[in-house]
Amino acid sequence: MKLDLPRFTERFGSISLHGVQRVFELDSGSDKGKKVSENITGVGNEQISEIESKMAIVIPIKNERLKLLEGVLSGIPHDCMTIIVSNSPRQPVDRYKLEKESLQQFNRFANKNALIIHQRDEGLAETLREVNYNELIGSDQLIRNGKAEGMVLGMLLAKMAQKEYVGFIDGDNYVPGAVNEYVKIFASGIAMSDTPYKMIRVSWIYKPKISESGIYFSKWGRVSEITNYYLNSLISYYTGFETEVMRTGNSGEHCMSIKLAELLNFSSGFSVETYEIVNLLEQFGGILPTENQEAMDKGVEVMQVETRNPHFHEDKGEAHLKEMINGSLGCIYHSRICHPKLQEKILEELKNKSTLDNNGAPPVLEKINPFKEVDIKTFDKKLHDKATSLIHWNY
Ligand code: GDD
């Protein structure tokens, strides 16, 4: 892959937030053919494949069309492990069983390292309790519903499989070629970064809207524009300089090194992607005391790369957008580093958008503490003994 080197970087404590980089060539040939100029770098196919073999791609899924899932599976490069964490209904139709059968059939031909599990599996919750990680467990003693909860499980499973990197791709993507590009972007970003603590986020070139008059290639989703504005304001309140650096505040498609993932606090549901950035600023921004001096010393890098493929995915409607705006702005509002003046602006925004039910502050969302201390060998053994929904193909 041939892509821009970062041209602009916002430094915030020990975090480097790089401006959006563009892709020039999806496939730039083998390592031998790689050409590097002052502005553009090439990451060769051999290097990309090597990184992919150290990466797991997590697909969080809840009741999506099977045809879309099958397309997503076919777009993930062979050397990556695939992890499906499903929260699909089991009744009246067992949608999870259908997903399992799709993966089973796909893997009969693909023979790849893959795993599928249901988020609400009793044995999974029991395993987590036995390794003293109660962060995801709800009042019914099972893992709570929620995309973030599914993602954290996926990260634990990637660590269990001894992967160095974990990436996320939603299960409702219409274009397998776009899925493939996301993973190549993840691998190229990883290759370009110098620190063990890294995150690569995808910025979609277009999020097309389809209407009766045709396709309109819009640049921004309705939620992303607002989230990015407030994330940038959070940064500007400290630096004193306005910035537009953050462009991927809601990017579901992103990846991290496990070394970084296991240090983070996560916010539940659909605020997860926004809060990852807020939590980086909280933990490594130099404002609050840190518990992770090694990451402070080595630095944390966030890259944002713009795709060539447009992002076609399922449109989930207004109520879902409202949930996303409340979650994304709510996690900025409730952060310990959010300036009172910015809190006022967020409240104003939410009032204008009429997304809050009671004109009060946005709801405080459940936080998930880091999984670094989980004894992963015990987790592995107990999970394979207890989780009845688990299937793991280890090629
Ligand atoms: N495991 C699991 N558990 N997966 C879930 C759950 C859950 O409780 N809820 C939703 N998912 C899955 C969906 O099936 C889909 O694959 C993915 O999470 C994203 O959920 P969507 O409901 O499709 O969200 P979206 O497409 O509107 O929003 C996506 O893009 C946003 C940026 O535009 C999400 O990735 C957001 O988190 C992101 O901010």
Side-chain angles (χ1 to χ4, degrees):
M1 177 167 271
K2 202 161 278 172
L3 65 170
D4 270 337
L5 285 165
R7 283 163 197 233
F8 163 73
T9 300
E10 195 75 60
R11 293 173 217 284
F12 194 99
S14 50
I15 312 159
S16 301
L17 290 167
H18 298 299
V20 171
Q21 298 163 243
R22 267 175 309 169
V23 173
F24 293 96
E25 214 181 12
L26 289 170
D27 181 337
S28 62
S30 68
D31 284 340
K32 279 191 200 137
K34 168 172 129 175
K35 268 197 203 142
V36 182
S37 78
E38 277 180 21
N39 301 320
I40 298 174
T41 190
V43 184
N45 294 339
E46 287 81 354
Q47 197 180 1
I48 288 183
S49 288
E50 197 197 319
I51 293 172
E52 285 169 353
S53 67
K54 298 176 186 165
M55 191 188 304
I57 296 295
V58 175
I59 309 173
I61 192 163
K62 185 176 175 186
N63 213 13
E64 303 292 353
R65 301 192 217 194
L66 278 183
K67 284 275 178 285
L68 300 190
L69 174 64
E70 285 165 7
V72 171
L73 290 176
S74 72
I76 297 174
H78 180 83
D79 293 333
C80 291
M81 179 182 185
T82 299
I83 296 177
I84 301 181
V85 181
S86 170
N87 193 16
S88 296
R90 311 282 320 243
Q91 285 172 342
V93 175
D94 189 349
R95 298 280 308 169
Y96 178 69
K97 182 165 170 276
L98 302 182
E99 291 160 359
K100 216 164 52 180
E101 285 167 3
S102 286
L103 179 60
Q104 219 152 13
Q105 188 172 34
F106 169 77
N107 229 21
R108 213 176 294 142
F109 306 109
N111 290 340
K112 64 180 278 174
N113 196 355
L115 182 157
I116 183 165
I117 193 163
H118 198 274
Q119 192 164 328
R120 307 275 292 166
D121 184 322
E122 278 177 26
L124 168 60
E126 208 179 310
T127 302
L128 286 177
R129 273 197 298 275
E130 288 185 14
V131 294
N132 287 323
Y133 190 67
N134 294 309
E135 299 297 318
L136 306 174
I137 299 186
S139 50
D140 60 1
Q141 299 307 310
L142 297 177
I143 309 294
R144 291 189 302 270
N145 296 311
K147 184 189 179 210
E149 286 70 6
M151 285 170 59
V152 175
L153 281 174
M155 293 182 228
L156 271 166
L157 295 165
K159 185 172 175 186
M160 176 188 93
Q162 299 179 332
K163 296 293 166 184
E164 278 180 43
Y165 308 106
V166 60
F168 305 94
I169 295 191
D170 290 346
D172 61 347
N173 198 306
Y174 276 92
V175 187
V179 169
N180 191 264
E181 183 188 6
Y182 299 152
V183 181
K184 302 289 170 197
I185 285 177
F186 296 163
S188 301
I190 289 167
M192 288 165 74
S193 162
D194 293 329
T195 164
Y197 302 94
K198 50 187 124 204
M199 179 184 288
I200 295 91
R201 298 170 76 99
V202 158
S203 167
W204 303 294
I205 188 159
Y206 299 114
K207 274 189 98 176
K209 308 267 179 292
I210 300 167
S211 68
E212 277 170 14
S213 52
I215 302 185
Y216 179 69
F217 285 85
S218 67
K219 206 74 188 139
W220 296 107
R222 283 171 286 178
V223 180
S224 333
E225 210 166 345
I226 302 171
T227 306
N228 289 335
Y229 174 79
Y230 285 99
L231 271 179
N232 284 320
S233 302
L234 183 67
I235 296 168
S236 307
Y237 267 97
Y238 285 93
T239 59
F241 289 86
E242 278 195 337
T243 180
E244 294 183 336
V245 70
M246 275 314 302
R247 302 279 288 276
T248 56
N250 288 106
S251 182
E253 275 67 28
H254 63 290
C255 93
M256 283 180 263
S257 54
I258 295 283
K259 264 179 111 53
L260 178 61
E262 67 184 3
L263 299 182
L264 293 187
N265 298 86
F266 294 92
S267 177
S268 66
F270 286 103
S271 57
V272 55
E273 288 93 3
T274 308
Y275 188 68
E276 281 170 4
I277 298 295
V278 175
N279 191 241
L280 287 181
L281 301 174
E282 290 171 341
Q283 287 208 48
F284 309 110
I287 305 162
L288 304 174
T290 185
E291 287 171 19
N292 297 296
Q293 192 55 44
E294 192 197 307
M296 289 295 280
D297 294 342
K298 298 205 162 141
V300 176
E301 232 177 328
V302 179
M303 290 181 167
Q304 306 175 90
V305 180
E306 186 179 84
T307 59
R308 281 281 160 181
N309 280 279
H311 188 67
F312 280 100
H313 71 140
E314 285 278 89
D315 195 342
K316 304 271 165 52
E318 287 299 321
H320 178 59
L321 291 183
K322 180 172 156 180
E323 186 188 353
M324 276 180 42
I325 293 193
N326 279 345
S328 298
L329 297 199
C331 75
I332 302 176
Y333 178 95
H334 289 294
S335 166
R336 283 180 295 160
I337 61 168
C338 186
H339 194 281
K341 286 251 171 337
L342 183 59
Q343 286 187 320
E344 278 172 32
K345 279 176 82 174
I346 291 177
L347 277 190
E348 205 52 42
E349 175 81 50
L350 291 173
K351 265 186 222 160
N352 290 341
K353 292 264 164 333
S354 307
T355 58
L356 286 182
D357 297 327
N358 55 5
N359 267 354
V364 181
L365 295 171
E366 201 94 41
K367 289 283 173 336
I368 301 166
N369 281 320
F371 60 87
K372 186 165 192 270
E373 299 307 330
V374 171
D375 175 349
I376 209 73
K377 289 223 165 75
T378 312
F379 172 78
D380 186 354
K381 187 172 176 321
K382 287 189 186 277
L383 186 78
H384 281 83
D385 287 348
K386 289 175 193 280
T388 50
S389 69
L390 173 75
I391 307 191
H392 187 179
W393 294 265
N394 204 349
Y395 285 99

